[in-house]
Amino acid sequence: MSMIEIQHVTKKFGAFTAVDNLTLKIEAGEFFGFLGPNGAGKTTTIKMLTGLYEPTVGHCFVDGHDVHWTPLEAKRSFGYVPDQPYLYEKLTGREFLHFVGGLFGIPYRDVKNRIDEIKDLFEIGSFMDKRAEEYSQGMRQRIVLTAGLLHDPKVLIIDEPIVGLDPRSARLVKDTLKQKTKEGLTVFMSTHLLEIVEELCDRIAIIKNGKIIHEDFAPSRNGNLEALFLELTK
Amino acid sequence: MRELLVVLNTRAQSFLKRVFELRWQTVVQNISSLLIFGGFAVAVFLVARFATDYLITEAHIGLFLFHRFLSMLLYVFFVTVNVGNMIVAFSTLYKSQEVNFLMSLPISHAKIFLIKFVDNFFYSSSTLTLLGLAMLLGYGSFFDLPWYYYFFVMFFIMLPFMLIAAILAITTLMLLIKLGTRIGFRLLLVLVLCVYSGGVYLYFNATNPMSLVEDVMKLWPNVNEYMGYLDPPFVKVLPNHWVAEFLYWSLHGEYARALPYFSMLFLTMLGLIALAGLMARRFYYESWLAIADLQAGRPAISGKTRSLFASSSFLKASFLKRSFLKPHWDVLVKRDLSLFLREPSQWLHLLLMVVLLGMFLVSLATLKLTFEQPAMQATAFMIIFMFNGFLIASIALRFVFPTVSLEGDAFWCVRTSPTQLSKLYWYKVVTALVGVGVVAEFLSFVSVFLFRQDASLALVSAIIIFFVTLTLTGLNVGAGSYFAMYKERNPIRVASSQGASLTFLASMLYLTVVVTLSLIPLNNYFTTWHAADGFSIRWALMPLAVIAIISSVIFAFSTRVGLRAIRNDSR
């Protein structure tokens, strides 16, 4: 069964079509890279996949649940990391994680244990008791990544995961995601950074003007992705 | 000067584009704003005209006493403009992202101050300007004044008057911030509250309206004569007195005696503008840095300039303790409580409202509230009842209206979690209803107690207040959701936005209807009281039923609109 399925999805904002009849299937344990130039429709697709936008036409499924007809079931099965890691400025990272855990209905003690379990994944222990207003972009990103994995989801949907991270943190994130995929996590990642795609992804799709213009397996083995991307998106 | 014009021009263009944008939603919003603001202005005009007519031709209080009452009203107006500008200025001049941006450009600090002052003045005083104009028109239409009189008074008397209040507010704020860095903001806050409360108390204590009425009435029927010797000396240096004096003398056609007051207002305004410019050069950047340091250099949860509650062990442990609630509700309650108590603009405003509430109740306790005529008795009760409603509407606007907006940029984590947005919405309604309801029923109980300890009156009052609370809470959550400003982090700006103003005006219209309907059972009640007859609660059933129906319809409509808006994915 596909973990993520996008069926003939179109999203229109007035007369403008942001995503045009998009169809995709991503299997369990796959690391999927979603590429495209600015304004191609990547974030809109992710927002439809996470229930933040409703498709004008078509359906999105996560773990077999329609995101718009059975949203609660679908949302229980994925974690989401947005491109802008907005947090509550007055809450500490730990409080934010407890908050997210509560929203997923995880009992208090389990959230506490889970935080202790995964806080080292992205090395957040040193700052998680400070308020978010004191965080750098990278710290926020690492808290949000931890929050995305807090409920042990089957699918992780990430919009630009490495932006704002220093080289050490970026390495940490890449290694963790790689490891998690090996353990069975399905990752849907949108990014501009081609070297990350080459290093991590099993499969990619390039979107332009709301349409998939290219799909490929194992980009790292199929020659120069940068040249291909530039050629396709010019 | 050039960069100043560039910024102001960009601001004006952005404003005009927003107002005249040809989008269906914008057009509908603008037309409704126009209708509601227009309706509000007409209502204020009619009330001002009626009040002037009543006081001059029915109550025969005379022009001198009338203008002294006007002066007292202007004093309240002055303090409102002053406090409003000071509260909004803290976000506009010190916490705005635009100021951060402007500070990085080669523009002098004094010019940034000026740009933000203009912004602040328009933002916080536009509704009060409309109120002032409508009152002036009501006043002027009774005395049949020519059109150019309104023009002159509005631009050369009222505008300087309001600018004086606004300039004093922001210069004081600058100095207070400087002072706050030395003595600590907690102590400063207590001092400011004491000074403002003391100022209002001393003013009304010194002007003493009751003894003024007695002194003037001793000279009846010559009440139109000028009795300036009755004014306490300190009042003569207050701008509200100058406005009242200008109106008094110009109404008598004695322009030579009115001119000095106009000159004093205008020169004071110019002097204060110059002083503010000089002070901005010297203090604005320093005070801005102090606030920036305060915001940036915060250790985890301690520090002497932190909120009164933030360092308490209760809050530190709030997220780290188990509670009896289900995880969903538990974390929502803890989040909202923590965000509220850690945001100074939230708890500071609450504290201010509690002080005002206390002052209101103390003043109420000292008033003589028993009259011979049942109609007067009912009217006195209704005025206090209306004021209770006004307080509930203000509390709801300030603390309930922004709740949906305060989900803010971090709303994504709720929207992508398995939490139903309708449940989130109802959670907001219920928590607001409980909070506002407790205050409202307390006010209702105290008001009844001060008149007469009677179960029937208490019951009728409690039922009406319940419906008022239900409606105003539902209206504010619903409208707050419809007009949500997720990008705005400052709750004060949300509560003073255009949507908030519309909601407040709608609340006032609703309150007027409720008060009108309540007059029937209350008049019956006081008539039977005076006649030592038994009051039957059945007399109140019909008006209560009508109030219940109107309230339920407004609540249901607001909830429907609010629920649709919170689910709207386009924002």
Side-chain angles (χ1 to χ4, degrees), chain B residues 54 75 104 140 333 385:
Chain B
Y54 177 81
Y75 179 77
S104 70
V333 171
F385 189 79

Side-chain angles (χ1 to χ4, degrees), chain A residues 214-225:
Chain A
H214 181 77
E215 271 190 83
D216 196 3
F217 284 95
S220 57
R221 294 197 296 271
N222 294 343
N224 189 338
L225 181 62

Side-chain angles (χ1 to χ4, degrees), chain B residues 144-406:
Chain B
D144 211 13
L145 297 169
W147 66 269
Y148 52 84
Y149 184 85
Y150 302 110
F151 180 82
F152 183 84
V153 171
M154 207 54 218
F155 283 96
F156 296 99
I157 300 293
M158 284 307 282
L159 190 64
F161 176 65
M162 290 175 76
L163 276 170
I164 289 171
I167 297 167
L168 280 175
I170 49 166
T171 45
T172 309
L173 182 67
M174 244 188 308
L175 293 176
L176 287 176
I177 289 171
K178 282 285 293 172
L179 189 64
T181 55
R182 288 171 190 228
I183 64 166
F185 283 89
R186 266 187 257 177
L187 178 61
L188 180 73
L189 173 75
V190 174
L191 283 176
V192 170
L193 282 175
C194 290
V195 168
Y196 269 83
S197 316
V200 173
Y201 176 79
L202 284 176
Y203 176 81
F204 283 102
N205 199 32
T207 49
N208 201 341
M210 294 308 281
S211 64
L212 183 68
V213 171
E214 281 172 15
D215 289 345
V216 171
M217 286 305 164
K218 278 178 198 161
L219 299 170
W220 208 85
N222 303 319
V223 285
N224 282 339
E225 279 176 21
Y226 184 70
M227 290 165 254
Y229 57 87
L230 293 174
D231 294 323
F234 87 96
V235 166
K236 292 175 182 168
V237 296
L238 297 178
N240 56 301
H241 180 77
W242 302 339
V243 176
E245 286 291 81
F246 175 87
L247 293 173
Y248 178 84
W249 291 117
S250 59
L251 201 63
H252 284 79
E254 294 193 41
Y255 297 110
R257 297 187 76 170
L259 191 65
Y261 296 105
F262 156 71
S263 312
M264 276 195 279
L265 273 167
F266 216 77
L267 289 174
T268 307
M269 179 195 72
L270 292 178
L272 281 175
I273 289 174
L275 182 70
L278 286 173
M279 281 179 65
R281 253 179 222 201
R282 174 76 182 82
F283 294 120
Y284 178 51
Y285 185 55
E286 270 182 47
S287 54
W288 181 81
L289 280 180
I291 295 297
D293 283 352
L294 192 67
Q295 285 180 312
R298 288 177 165 174
I301 302 181
S302 59
K304 67 174 184 178
T305 53
R306 308 305 295 269
S307 84
L308 286 169
F309 307 96
S311 57
S312 69
S313 55
F314 155 71
L315 199 64
K316 268 186 201 170
S318 67
F319 260 89
L320 311 174
K321 270 188 180 164
R322 209 187 310 202
S323 82
F324 63 93
L325 293 167
K326 283 186 175 177
H328 278 87
W329 307 124
D330 180 45
V331 292
L332 285 171
V333 171
K334 283 173 178 172
R335 176 200 64 172
D336 288 347
L337 201 61
S338 302
L339 294 179
F340 186 88
L341 296 178
R342 287 174 187 175
E343 175 56 56
S345 62
Q346 291 280 67
W347 62 261
L348 261 173
H349 234 171
L350 183 69
L351 203 64
L352 189 71
M353 285 216 167
V354 169
V355 170
L356 288 174
L357 205 68
M359 281 170 67
F360 168 61
L361 292 176
V362 169
S363 331
L364 208 60
T366 56
L367 285 176
K368 179 179 168 281
L369 295 167
T370 43
F371 297 93
E372 287 301 314
Q373 303 87 351
M376 277 295 283
Q377 188 76 73
T379 310
F381 187 83
M382 285 319 297
I383 289 169
I384 290 165
F385 189 79
M386 182 83 184
F387 199 79
N388 287 351
F390 178 77
L391 272 175
I392 299 165
S394 308
I395 292 170
L397 184 80
R398 173 59 189 84
F399 296 106
V400 180
F401 184 87
T403 51
V404 175
S405 294
L406 287 180

